[in-house]
Amino acid sequence: MEKRFMKGNEAIAESAIRAGCRFFAGYPITPQNEIPEYMSRKMTEAGGVFVQGESEIASAYMVFGGASMGTRCMTSSSGLGICLKTEALSYMAGARLPAVVVNVSRGGPGLGTIQPSQQDYNLITNGPGCGGFSCMVYAPSTVQESVDLTCKAFDMAERDRNPVIVLTDGCLGAMMESVELPMPQTPGENLEWSLAKSDRQARIIKSFHLDPMDQEQFNENMADLYKSWDDNDVAVELYQMQDAEYVITAYGICGRIAKAAVEELRLGGVKAGLLRPITLVPFPRKQLAELNPQKVKKVLSVEMSIPGQMFIDVREALSAEIPLEFLGRSGGVVVEEEEIVSAVYKMKG
Amino acid sequence: MVRMLIGGFGGQGVIMLGQMLGAAAISSGKNATFYPTYGPEQRGGTANCAVVISDKEIGSPIVTRPDVLICFNQTALEKFLPTLKPGGMLFVNSSQFSKEHTFRGDFYVIRVAADTLAQELGNAKVANAIMMGAVIQKTEICTPEHAEAGIVEELMSKSQLHEVNIKALKCGMLAVRS
């Protein structure tokens, strides 16, 4: 394995190429610009195609086109650009096409700020587009995890023939950290939907159904797929949870900061633990529901969004007997370890 | 764990210094993060970055109360000195301050005439590598060999600059050797 000191955004771009991505289309927006910038240099060297589209909408549809040919495709943006891409995302979900979409999120709504935030949680996890579809959502909390989950996202997108979203933020994207990069992969050929090659029966890629019964059948199949994610694909980090009385839930950049807070609290004799969702879809409901009210006194949901968004999913999953509190920052302010420690001491009383 | 803040004008090599220190720490087997502050910056504006180095897993890459503060100009000094931890280390690019300027407080001051020394080496742009030499000499965060490895990694594609930067690194180490 090759070890390098890399910027989060560049690590995502490099790992996508190593995962076999050979088509990238995007449109500039801070704080994700290093992804298209890196792709513009390295994608052609890898024998692939880089396009800066005329808009977010166009570049997302270019990915639809590339995916139709069985090519591993990626696009990236920040929240307000992702909104524009949701139209094509819905068409891809409807046409059963795989793709990887990266959201390096920033403050909002509107133009908001260019600094990191987690304000896109609801947009991304509650179905990022029209028509009631879901995408699997990975939320890395280190640059290494950004690499690992980007690679995995390509495999999962292809397995499910459905777009996968990697949700990071401006802090994880801009920071540099040590990473081990994976060996380059050669993606499989002869994909069942691919329009490439002609020595076979005609294939049709579409998201339109004339017969309502066909559409209903499609939706039922997708419901089965989403159910299978809950059963098989949940990823969660449990840290110091065996005897935890005060549990922190946090994802992405907040997850790693909360982990350091748990260390600090443990040094002070507080039985703190961390439950960090790595997949936001599927959400670790089961792991949260299993928290025992006899052992866990309180849970604190830490997010870089106000009002709390993951907070609502945590509340829903958690036993009604366990009180849940919220610590949020937003607008581009990154939560500090000391704030989390103080919040736990405060809720401990 | 060592938390560092580096500040100066854009063009003084602040960002590159942070990246080189991070890469040096990684090559010595430690964990490191580098985080640039960014906003709607403009030419001649400020450039700041944070570096965290630790034997353990690193939580936040953001540094609000540094153990080590490296200031390349007056603006950075005014902005960040109040955040330096008591007993911390202040490295100043003394070429940017008058000889009479005193730095008083509960911290150690290491004066490095980085701009002057860089000019003497014939390349004003290596002031950051001179500062790096001073920092590794005083903080002992890594060996000179690992510092060289960090410089080479960050300047990978610009091999013509390796030699002068390594020379600058050694010059910086010598400048603060007591």
Side-chain angles (χ1 to χ4, degrees):
Chain A
M1 289 269 224
E2 184 185 340
K3 213 169 186 181
R4 279 163 66 178
F5 192 52
M6 275 189 106
K7 201 172 252 254
N9 282 338
E10 295 189 344
I12 284 179
E14 176 62 29
S15 50
I17 292 172
R18 288 180 185 234
C21 176
R22 289 296 177 269
F23 182 79
F24 179 94
Y27 188 79
I29 186 173
T30 307
Q32 62 87 54
N33 285 326
E34 293 89 353
I35 298 178
E37 193 223 352
Y38 191 92
M39 287 293 195
S40 70
R41 280 184 282 131
K42 300 284 181 158
M43 183 57 97
T44 39
E45 282 174 25
V49 174
F50 164 86
V51 181
Q52 180 174 314
E54 67 269 38
S55 70
E56 284 88 349
I57 298 172
S59 56
Y61 276 111
M62 288 174 194
V63 165
F64 182 112
S68 305
M69 299 300 284
T71 302
R72 287 193 162 191
C73 295
M74 181 193 247
T75 186
S76 65
S77 194
S78 190
L80 43 168
I82 294 289
C83 280
L84 297 168
K85 290 180 199 281
T86 57
E87 183 186 292
L89 212 53
S90 174
Y91 274 73
M92 282 188 263
R96 299 298 306 266
L97 288 173
V100 174
V101 179
V102 182
N103 180 3
V104 186
S105 72
R106 61 188 245 182
L111 272 179
T113 56
I114 60 172
Q115 282 80 12
S117 95
Q118 298 182 321
Q119 296 280 131
D120 292 341
Y121 179 92
N122 281 348
L123 168 78
I124 294 300
T125 62
N126 288 347
C130 67
F133 69 99
S134 282
C135 292
M136 206 180 265
V137 180
Y138 287 122
S141 84
T142 63
V143 177
Q144 183 66 57
E145 224 173 40
S146 300
V147 166
D148 300 342
L149 294 175
T150 299
C151 291
K152 198 165 179 199
F154 280 98
D155 293 338
M156 294 312 230
E158 230 163 61
R159 184 197 72 178
D160 295 339
R161 292 184 58 181
N162 199 55
V164 174
I165 297 174
V166 178
L167 178 63
T168 80
D169 62 78
C171 185
L172 261 181
M175 69 182 276
M176 290 175 84
E177 203 165 19
S178 169
V179 284
E180 281 182 3
L181 293 167
M183 295 295 286
Q185 280 186 52
T186 314
E189 284 183 14
N190 302 321
L191 302 162
E192 56 182 340
W193 69 90
S194 171
L195 301 184
K197 298 182 184 168
S198 55
D199 53 343
R200 51 162 171 75
Q201 283 209 306
R203 289 171 177 166
I204 298 171
I205 289 178
K206 63 182 178 78
S207 67
F208 182 58
H209 301 274
L210 281 169
D211 184 347
M213 300 306 284
D214 287 348
Q215 181 66 61
E216 188 180 51
Q217 185 59 53
F218 178 95
N219 295 134
E220 280 174 359
N221 294 346
M222 295 311 280
D224 291 342
L225 174 68
Y226 305 153
K227 172 79 176 45
S228 76
W229 293 347
D230 283 326
D231 296 338
N232 307 315
D233 297 312
V234 172
V236 61
E237 180 186 8
L238 302 172
Y239 180 68
Q240 300 276 31
M241 287 292 290
Q242 311 81 358
D243 60 343
E245 294 176 349
Y246 297 92
V247 172
I248 302 168
T249 58
Y251 71 96
I253 188 75
C254 285
R256 63 183 290 154
I257 300 170
K259 195 173 182 180
V262 167
E263 286 264 298
E264 186 65 27
L265 286 159
R266 286 270 167 179
L267 286 175
V270 180
K271 287 183 178 170
L274 171 70
L275 189 154
R276 178 175 70 88
I278 297 170
T279 50
L280 297 178
V281 176
F283 193 68
R285 278 185 199 86
K286 190 167 144 276
Q287 287 79 356
L288 280 159
E290 280 168 2
L291 295 185
N292 181 354
Q294 309 303 321
K295 283 165 69 183
V296 175
K297 291 179 179 162
K298 275 183 181 174
V299 174
L300 176 71
S301 183
V302 180
E303 297 168 54
M304 273 153 51
S305 49
I306 298 176
Q309 298 182 20
M310 185 175 80
F311 175 84
I312 293 162
D313 285 341
V314 174
R315 180 67 279 170
E316 199 183 68
L318 205 59
S319 158
E321 292 168 59
I322 303 177
L324 174 66
E325 296 198 7
F326 172 65
L327 170 63
R329 298 303 307 257
S330 76
V333 183
V334 177
V335 71
E336 287 186 34
E337 182 189 322
E338 291 79 7
E339 284 178 272
I340 302 175
V341 170
S342 311
V344 171
Y345 275 116
K346 196 174 153 207
M347 78 178 189
K348 188 170 170 279
Chain B
M1 182 172 297
V2 183
R3 296 170 196 269
M4 300 187 187
L5 260 188
I6 313 172
F9 289 129
Q12 285 184 306
V14 167
I15 301 296
M16 183 51 87
L17 173 57
Q19 294 180 354
M20 292 192 304
L21 282 166
I26 297 294
S27 79
S28 76
K30 291 180 181 170
N31 291 315
T33 59
F34 159 86
Y35 186 63
T37 57
Y38 62 98
E41 308 291 5
Q42 58 187 10
R43 195 205 301 243
T46 55
N48 312 311
C49 67
V51 178
V52 183
I53 297 171
S54 177
D55 294 323
K56 293 202 285 182
E57 235 176 283
I58 296 169
S60 182
I62 290 165
V63 175
T64 46
R65 280 169 293 280
D67 308 294
V68 174
L69 175 62
I70 306 167
C71 292
F72 278 87
N73 64 14
Q74 179 88 30
T75 317
L77 187 80
E78 280 167 14
K79 188 172 176 192
F80 296 121
L81 192 54
T83 68
L84 182 59
K85 271 191 192 163
M89 292 171 121
L90 169 69
F91 291 83
V92 282
N93 174 17
S94 55
S95 309
Q96 295 272 337
F97 298 86
S98 68
K99 273 186 186 148
E100 293 74 41
H101 199 109
T102 52
F103 309 91
R104 289 221 183 91
D106 182 13
F107 48 81
Y108 301 95
V109 183
I110 299 103
R111 290 166 175 267
V112 187
D115 291 341
T116 319
L117 291 169
Q119 272 150 20
E120 283 170 20
L121 284 178
N123 187 338
K125 288 181 184 168
V126 298
N128 58 352
I130 288 171
M131 191 59 94
M132 183 175 180
V135 171
I136 66 150
Q137 175 74 29
K138 285 290 181 187
T139 61
E140 296 178 354
I141 50 164
C142 70
T143 64
E145 292 72 28
H146 290 128
E148 285 184 27
I151 288 176
V152 170
E153 166 154 0
E154 289 310 310
L155 296 171
M156 206 182 295
S157 57
K158 297 171 181 163
S159 53
Q160 74 280 11
L161 296 177
H162 293 179
E163 199 188 324
V164 66
N165 276 279
I166 289 166
K167 213 167 143 188
L169 176 86
K170 288 173 179 162
C171 167
M173 290 174 66
L174 268 176
V176 297
R177 201 170 277 167
S178 43

